Amino acid sequence: MPALPRAVVLDGHTTNPGDNPWTRLEALTRLTVYERTLPHELIERAQGAEILLTNKTPISAEQIAALPALKFIGVLATGYNIVDTEAARARGIPVSNVPEYSTRAVAQHTLALLLELCHRCGEHSQAVHCGEWSRSPDFCFWKSPQVGLWGKRIGIAGNGRIGKQVAALAEAFGMRVQIFSRHTPPDGDRFVSWEEWLESSDVLSLHCALTEATRQMINAEALRRVKPSAFLLNTSRGALIDETALATALHEGRLAGAACDVLSTEPPAPDNPLLGAPRCLLTPHIAWTALEARRSLMETMGDNLAAYLRGAPIHVVNEVAAAGAAFCASQPPGSNSR
């Protein structure tokens, strides 16, 4: 019986901090898992491996060239912009990602951020624990305006799986959905122009890929068009927002609030302008991390590895000719989803 191929996970901690075993991958390969890998450590750790798995550790063209045994790259995420897919394609190395696993988790987190902006449950709970309710002359009190969502317009940027799931959840709260998309033809009454999306939305929620066209799409000019009563949500990519412009709008009271699960640099630098900005909720890129989502991620990567070992890779994001067959991309170029 032939030996199992050697596989290396470069940054396994976030996928499996102890609650999401590598059992299936271990059955398919001789698996070595590193919790984290710094750039200068990658080549030494991956040397001799046929299979390389990464979540957020970048794999460059130079590193691919220095790994002659490498035949397959698996991305433990949906977004694959951390891998030089062109360099891999030139070497005949398929790169497979994991589509869809986090759709419901990210949508749920998006609504959690919105509800926290509306109700500030954490702030009110802290006030109660600090004795403010016990000292109150009234049977109730509130420290921030309580915002009802029914009848309000949620503007969703992007018409992919996560955006559609957010739309469905928002409708359950009685919200009116409107969509801005650079790629979907505006063939329904939900689709609006960029200008209308900015000016009429009560909630603006970002669910689009990071490309040169969308980088800092929410900038100072865009924020000048937004209602001062609006909320801005970002669970997509941090660089969609000009963070200095957003911080300025919040400090000047030109936006009711913002909530971001992603920032332009992660972890953020101590001087990131959104740290300490008023009415700004920040969570540490956790929208994808529900255990149910991570289990689905692990199962699909197992499917990806099994398919590769059969000679018919799936979820391939770069066009590779191998064994006489072309493996077609399952995601649009430059996908930056979770």
Side-chain angles (χ1 to χ4, degrees):
M1 183 175 179
L4 295 177
R6 181 169 177 245
V8 171
V9 179
L10 295 172
D11 48 1
H13 178 74
T14 51
T15 302
N16 174 26
D19 57 358
N20 190 26
W22 303 96
T23 309
R24 187 167 179 216
L25 277 61
E26 289 171 333
L28 294 167
T29 66
R30 290 178 291 132
L31 189 67
T32 301
V33 179
Y34 294 99
E35 298 289 276
R36 301 165 187 86
T37 295
L38 296 173
H40 71 273
E41 298 173 320
L42 190 149
I43 292 174
E44 180 181 354
R45 290 181 172 185
Q47 202 62 240
E50 177 178 330
I51 296 166
L52 200 53
L53 304 179
T54 181
N55 184 321
K56 292 292 182 289
T57 299
I59 302 176
S60 68
E62 292 74 19
Q63 290 164 331
I64 290 171
L67 298 171
L70 185 61
K71 297 181 180 177
F72 177 82
I73 296 173
V75 181
L76 291 156
T78 302
Y80 53 86
N81 55 306
I82 53 161
V83 177
D84 192 320
T85 54
E86 281 302 303
R89 182 193 59 76
R91 273 270 308 274
I93 299 171
V95 179
S96 290
N97 72 340
V98 182
E100 298 189 42
Y101 78 97
S102 66
T103 298
R104 292 182 182 275
V106 175
Q108 178 178 311
H109 192 82
T110 302
L111 267 292
L113 292 175
L114 175 56
L115 291 172
E116 183 63 11
L117 286 174
C118 290
H119 299 294
R120 299 283 179 169
C121 294
E123 180 182 350
H124 285 87
S125 176
Q126 183 64 29
V128 171
H129 282 287
C130 289
E132 289 190 41
W133 198 8
S134 299
R135 297 189 297 270
S136 174
D138 302 309
F139 76 95
C140 73
F141 70 94
W142 53 94
K143 299 180 70 65
S144 63
Q146 299 295 285
V147 179
L149 291 174
W150 55 93
K152 288 188 168 57
R153 296 189 183 193
I154 181 168
I156 295 173
N159 194 37
R161 288 181 293 263
I162 295 175
K164 288 175 180 175
Q165 184 67 23
V166 169
L169 295 178
E171 286 182 320
F173 283 93
M175 301 189 76
R176 299 161 60 191
V177 173
Q178 55 189 30
I179 300 166
F180 170 73
S181 174
R182 297 174 185 272
H183 303 293
T184 305
D187 56 358
D189 57 7
R190 282 186 168 193
F191 291 88
V192 297
S193 68
W194 172 241
E195 291 75 18
E196 184 177 354
W197 185 84
L198 288 171
E199 294 170 3
S200 66
S201 295
D202 299 295
V203 177
L204 302 100
S205 194
L206 305 181
H207 302 286
C208 46
L210 175 62
T211 67
E212 287 311 305
T214 62
R215 186 177 298 275
Q216 295 196 350
M217 61 190 287
I218 302 298
N219 52 29
E221 180 182 356
L223 288 166
R224 280 192 287 270
R225 292 176 172 267
V226 173
K227 295 179 180 182
S229 59
F231 293 138
L232 173 65
L233 311 174
N234 188 11
T235 55
S236 186
R237 283 292 181 262
L240 296 173
I241 294 175
D242 179 336
E243 291 165 345
T244 298
L246 175 56
T248 299
L250 290 166
H251 280 291
E252 293 179 354
R254 293 187 284 109
L255 196 65
C260 299
D261 184 53
V262 289
L263 293 174
S264 59
T265 301
E266 298 172 348
D271 62 351
N272 184 294
L274 293 181
L275 296 176
R279 302 176 309 284
C280 184
L281 298 177
L282 300 174
T283 54
H285 205 142
I286 58 171
W288 68 283
T289 62
L291 178 57
E292 294 81 359
R294 287 184 290 110
R295 283 176 174 166
S296 176
L297 169 67
M298 192 75 79
E299 186 66 22
T300 301
M301 184 51 69
D303 293 341
N304 289 354
L305 283 181
Y308 159 71
L309 293 173
R310 290 194 304 268
I314 59 174
H315 302 139
V316 176
V317 299
N318 59 339
E319 293 183 1
V320 177
F327 306 134
C328 297
S330 63
Q331 301 289 325
S335 174
N336 284 275
S337 302
R338 294 274 169 171

